[in-house]
Amino acid sequence: MTTIYDIAKKTGYSITTVSKVLNDYPNVSEKAKAKVLAAVEELGYTPNSSARTLATNKSWMIGVVFAEHLGVGMAHPFFSEVIESFKKHVELYNYDLLFVSRKMGLKEETYRHLKHRGVDGVVVVQSLGDDALDFTEFNMPTVFIDMPEKGAHAVYSDNKQGSTLAVDYLYGLGHRKIAHITGAQTMYTAVERAKGFELAMEKHNLSIPSKYIVDGGYYSYEGGREAMFRLLSLTDRPTAVFVSGDEMALGAIKVIKEAGLRVPEDISVIGFDDIPLAKHVDPPLTTVKQDKELIGHQSAALLLDEINELGKNRNGKVIPVQLIKRQSCMSVDHMW
Amino acid sequence: MTTIYDIAKKTGYSITTVSKVLNDYPNVSEKAKAKVLAAVEELGYTPNSSARTLATNKSWMIGVVFAEHLGVGMAHPFFSEVIESFKKHVELYNYDLLFVSRKMGLKEETYRHLKHRGVDGVVVVQSLGDDALDFTEFNMPTVFIDMPEKGAHAVYSDNKQGSTLAVDYLYGLGHRKIAHITGAQTMYTAVERAKGFELAMEKHNLSIPSKYIVDGGYYSYEGGREAMFRLLSLTDRPTAVFVSGDEMALGAIKVIKEAGLRVPEDISVIGFDDIPLAKHVDPPLTTVKQDKELIGHQSAALLLDEINELGKNRNGKVIPVQLIKRQSCMSVDHMW
DNA sequence: GCTCCTATCGAAAACGCTTTCGTTTTAAGT
DNA sequence: ACTTAAAACGAAAGCGTTTTCGATAGGAGC
């Protein structure tokens, strides 16, 4: 490996001077600059980031703590898009992303590991509330995605508002018997969406039979299937169902079709997330779109500010959602 | 930050001894071990990985070079699954993954950056052949995914065989007029699949009208749409089309439906990849499945071996593919 | 020619750890 | 009690940088 010493020897300057030209210090002559740069090029020198980090206490790495419950890891349809957006943004400022292995349930381990690596900041993407790292003793710039955390930066969608959008839309279409397939109530997003659903229903003076609210688990396709199955077995079936996640919605639609019914002619379905496949399925899924791009961007901006100690007050930043009307919902007037 | 010196001071031992217990050296007394470990716990000491890397010349990081052409980055439906599998495997050996920002087209930059970071190995996941890093002067353990590279480890699917499987199946169903929507011929996988298609057709003594082979670009949904559009405009339409990628296949199916035709009743479609949504679309997509799990696992194993200098002969490792029969294909006898 | 700046440079310490190799301590053997 | 081997320990060098602060050189001003 070629080091700063090799450059020094070759140019006749000291390592101090070499280091200075490499770091754009002002007081170094043009002549020295030229000679050093030439030598760097000729020897194919590359600075050693470990040494630099050791000396400066700055690693230019951002740790990514990734924990989801579908078990698909970074292939997660929603999180992966958010992280990609996050990555694109921090890259502009020369940060690399370090995916640390998170042994689920061992928060202490993860915490130490991040310290060990000396990352400049951390972004944690995870759904479960109770499983969260204990942030308070985690003295490091951090931003949470998809979940608020007291005293910490966090970026997440306006989940309640999303539910309102969905219910209002369904109501406008003439639906009165609206069911809700929720996510597991251990997840912040799932609770919020459920709350929003109830609030919106209340607003329209619609009652919610207890059987109309069914837990679909961790946003999985299978969970959606099972939940919808139960809904279909009801004597007084809903005419529309608002599902807390797109994957679950797809599972639900599948079950409806298998039962010989049609979407939206027999039952309207509306999802949440707007994952990439949503527009490709049949029928194209009407859903509440989360702005993954913005979420990633905002969380990156917040984290960068915090790293550079421009951190303002730390709290949650909620991102607006949007109703994407496709073809899985239908006015009751046209149903058969 | 608490260092090894703090532990030394607290326990009365030298930093050498502390370091030794931390690294499980044999010749250190039980007593010393106990005292040091206790102090570590009490002071909440975490070793500094930069210092360690500097001293040992081993970073325990694996660089990930990720370049795809859908523009979705790590949200790529196929690559993300492969990388996830790769990650799961290397994690077992305590490696973390470093995603370096790859400025497309600046291979030299990427190369330097990886050196700079001192990663122990590199996994490059990218489709384009001509854009590949110049591996020869890249003196570092490396494994390529989805594309062979002379003199380097590489793991990829048996693309030709996949095409054979598809064509044989279609042939068995009675189809004779089979078209192929290819991927851009700058990509290794696309070329192989196209070759395989021609070979298989030849085997069955089937001629391929030149209009039956149409380029769908970089495996995108839109590309599939356009390609299928051209196919539909033909006077002598194919009864089946083998599409080089699932996303493209979905686009193709969409166009077929829009034209008032049905899949598979009017046209059979078969894809390649078996992305997660393949089973959820309507009709469920018959496709050639790539074993993402195995690809990730194998490439991890190869890279780890290379890092530990157990590297055998470096060359491509081809992973078998499998035909997943779902419902987008139909026997000609039942077509209308 | 002398003083005093300013511009340029370099010696050396520091960052936190590993590892070699010599020294000391302990235990075993007689 | 003495020798010897083995076990336990530590001094110091080294890994490749950055950064402080003092030294030197050259020129301007008189």
Side-chain angles (χ1 to χ4, degrees):
Chain A
M1 179 167 223
T2 128
T3 76
I4 213 175
Y5 282 91
D6 301 322
I7 306 287
K9 189 173 298 171
K10 181 155 192 94
T11 58
Y13 286 103
S14 73
I15 62 160
T16 305
T17 301
V18 173
S19 174
K20 281 178 180 167
V21 352
L22 258 23
N23 290 289
D24 282 324
Y25 270 59
N27 49 352
V28 46
S29 68
E30 287 303 324
K31 190 172 145 202
K33 220 176 264 185
K35 283 187 76 170
V36 167
L37 258 18
V40 163
E41 204 50 47
E42 188 180 341
L43 300 185
Y45 165 79
T46 312
N48 179 312
S49 90
S50 294
R52 201 194 285 261
T53 296
L54 187 56
T56 60
N57 202 30
K58 168 101 185 163
S59 69
W60 294 100
M61 292 192 302
I62 289 177
V64 180
V65 175
F66 204 103
E68 46 77 48
H69 291 82
L70 283 178
V72 295
M74 43 213 297
H76 190 287
F78 170 68
F79 288 163
S80 67
E81 280 194 75
V82 173
I83 282 292
E84 171 67 19
S85 164
F86 179 90
K87 173 163 175 276
K88 284 221 180 80
H89 196 67
V90 296
E91 265 178 13
L92 297 177
Y93 299 87
N94 298 311
Y95 287 92
D96 288 327
L97 252 42
L98 187 75
F99 278 74
V100 304
S101 58
R102 164 120 165 78
K103 321 218 162 75
M104 284 256 218
L106 291 183
K107 353 183 176 179
E108 187 57 24
E109 276 291 307
T110 307
Y111 166 66
R112 283 217 171 176
H113 193 64
L114 256 5
K115 279 282 192 208
H116 166 69
R117 284 301 193 181
V119 295
D120 295 334
V122 176
V123 50
V124 0
V125 198
Q126 61 177 11
S127 32
L128 232 52
D130 54 352
D131 188 41
L133 307 209
D134 188 351
F135 176 73
T136 46
E137 53 179 280
F138 190 30
N139 189 22
M140 188 181 285
T142 304
V143 60
F144 288 80
I145 286 180
D146 218 30
M147 182 183 55
E149 181 84 10
K150 59 286 162 196
H153 289 295
V155 181
Y156 45 88
S157 289
D158 192 341
N159 292 289
K160 267 188 195 147
Q161 171 64 6
S163 300
T164 303
L165 254 28
V167 172
D168 286 358
Y169 176 59
L170 255 15
Y171 186 88
L173 253 25
H175 291 279
R176 295 298 177 266
K177 298 197 290 183
I178 307 177
H180 180 37
I181 297 183
T182 73
Q185 296 296 298
T186 48
M187 299 182 289
Y188 171 76
T189 52
V191 210
E192 287 297 295
R193 291 170 198 176
K195 270 190 213 157
F197 172 75
E198 289 173 17
L199 254 35
M201 290 291 277
E202 207 167 294
K203 186 176 71 181
H204 294 298
N205 286 312
L206 259 29
S207 67
I208 315 176
S210 67
K211 303 251 180 194
Y212 270 24
I213 294 201
V214 15
D215 190 325
Y218 292 118
Y219 292 142
S220 75
Y221 183 83
E222 267 312 316
R225 284 187 60 100
E226 287 164 22
M228 192 66 222
F229 194 77
R230 270 182 282 161
L231 245 23
L232 285 182
S233 71
L234 262 30
T235 50
D236 187 23
R237 275 205 314 248
T239 61
V241 26
F242 166 49
V243 189
S244 197
D246 279 354
E247 302 235 346
M248 284 200 305
L250 298 189
I253 289 178
K254 182 69 174 181
V255 169
I256 295 176
K257 286 182 177 175
E258 285 172 359
L261 299 171
R262 305 180 61 183
V263 176
E265 289 81 354
D266 295 301
I267 297 185
S268 286
V269 173
I270 177 166
F272 208 113
D273 281 352
D274 193 30
I275 59 180
L277 14 39
K279 68 162 74 71
H280 297 157
V281 295
D282 189 47
L285 187 66
T286 292
T287 190
V288 177
K289 171 178 179 167
Q290 296 200 63
D291 196 338
K292 302 138 205 111
E293 175 66 35
L294 222 204
I295 294 178
H297 189 104
Q298 281 286 335
S299 46
L302 282 178
L303 185 57
L304 257 21
D305 276 356
E306 181 76 14
I307 289 177
N308 297 319
E309 292 172 328
L310 307 172
K312 335 245 166 170
N313 40 353
R314 301 183 191 137
N315 44 37
K317 185 147 209 152
V318 357
I319 306 294
V321 294
Q322 181 188 0
L323 182 69
I324 303 290
K325 297 178 191 168
R326 287 197 270 250
Q327 289 144 53
S328 62
C329 293
M330 174 176 268
S331 159
V332 286
D333 304 335
H334 299 92
M335 290 175 59
W336 12 328
Chain B
M1 180 166 220
T2 128
T3 77
I4 213 175
Y5 283 89
D6 301 322
I7 307 287
K9 187 172 298 171
K10 181 158 192 90
T11 59
Y13 285 104
S14 72
I15 63 160
T16 305
T17 301
V18 172
S19 174
K20 281 178 179 167
V21 351
L22 257 24
N23 290 288
D24 281 324
Y25 270 59
N27 48 353
V28 47
S29 69
E30 287 303 324
K31 189 172 142 203
K33 222 177 264 186
K35 284 188 73 171
V36 167
L37 258 19
V40 163
E41 204 50 47
E42 187 181 340
L43 300 185
Y45 166 79
T46 312
N48 177 313
S49 89
S50 294
R52 202 197 283 262
T53 296
L54 187 56
T56 59
N57 201 30
K58 167 104 185 161
S59 69
W60 294 100
M61 292 192 303
I62 289 177
V64 180
V65 175
F66 204 103
E68 46 78 49
H69 291 81
L70 281 177
V72 296
M74 42 214 296
H76 191 287
F78 170 68
F79 287 162
S80 67
E81 279 195 76
V82 173
I83 282 291
E84 172 66 19
S85 164
F86 179 90
K87 173 162 174 277
K88 284 220 180 80
H89 196 67
V90 297
E91 265 178 14
L92 297 177
Y93 299 87
N94 298 312
Y95 287 92
D96 288 327
L97 253 42
L98 187 75
F99 278 73
V100 305
S101 59
R102 164 122 164 77
K103 319 217 164 73
M104 285 258 216
L106 292 184
K107 351 184 175 184
E108 187 57 24
E109 276 292 307
T110 306
Y111 167 67
R112 282 215 173 178
H113 193 66
L114 256 5
K115 279 282 192 209
H116 166 70
R117 283 300 193 181
V119 295
D120 295 333
V122 175
V123 49
V124 2
V125 198
Q126 61 176 13
S127 34
L128 232 53
D130 54 352
D131 187 43
L133 307 208
D134 189 350
F135 176 73
T136 46
E137 54 179 278
F138 190 29
N139 190 24
M140 187 181 284
T142 305
V143 59
F144 288 80
I145 286 181
D146 219 29
M147 182 183 57
E149 181 85 11
K150 58 288 163 196
H153 290 295
V155 181
Y156 44 90
S157 289
D158 192 341
N159 292 289
K160 267 187 193 148
Q161 171 65 8
S163 299
T164 304
L165 253 30
V167 172
D168 285 0
Y169 176 61
L170 257 12
Y171 186 87
L173 253 24
H175 292 278
R176 296 298 178 266
K177 299 197 289 186
I178 307 176
H180 180 38
I181 296 182
T182 73
Q185 296 297 297
T186 46
M187 300 182 289
Y188 171 77
T189 53
V191 183
E192 287 297 294
R193 291 171 197 175
K195 271 190 210 156
F197 172 75
E198 288 174 16
L199 254 35
M201 290 293 278
E202 207 166 293
K203 186 177 72 181
H204 295 297
N205 286 313
L206 259 29
S207 67
I208 314 176
S210 67
K211 303 249 179 195
Y212 271 24
I213 295 200
V214 15
D215 189 327
Y218 292 119
Y219 292 142
S220 75
Y221 183 85
E222 266 313 316
R225 285 185 59 100
E226 287 164 23
M228 192 66 221
F229 193 78
R230 269 181 282 163
L231 245 23
L232 285 183
S233 71
L234 261 31
T235 49
D236 188 23
R237 275 205 314 247
T239 61
V241 25
F242 165 49
V243 188
S244 197
D246 279 354
E247 301 235 346
M248 284 198 306
L250 298 190
I253 290 178
K254 183 68 173 181
V255 169
I256 295 176
K257 286 182 177 175
E258 286 174 357
L261 300 171
R262 305 180 61 182
V263 176
E265 289 81 355
D266 295 300
I267 298 185
S268 286
V269 173
I270 178 167
F272 208 113
D273 281 352
D274 194 29
I275 58 179
L277 13 40
K279 68 162 75 69
H280 296 157
V281 294
D282 190 46
L285 187 66
T286 292
T287 190
V288 177
K289 173 180 176 165
Q290 296 201 63
D291 196 337
K292 302 137 206 115
E293 174 66 35
L294 224 203
I295 293 178
H297 189 102
Q298 282 285 337
S299 47
L302 282 178
L303 185 58
L304 258 19
D305 276 355
E306 181 77 14
I307 289 176
N308 298 319
E309 291 173 330
L310 306 172
K312 335 245 166 170
N313 40 355
R314 301 184 190 136
N315 45 36
K317 186 148 208 151
V318 358
I319 306 294
V321 294
Q322 182 188 358
L323 182 69
I324 304 290
K325 296 176 193 169
R326 284 196 271 250
Q327 289 145 54
S328 62
C329 293
M330 175 176 266
S331 159
V332 286
D333 303 336
H334 298 93
M335 290 176 58
W336 11 328

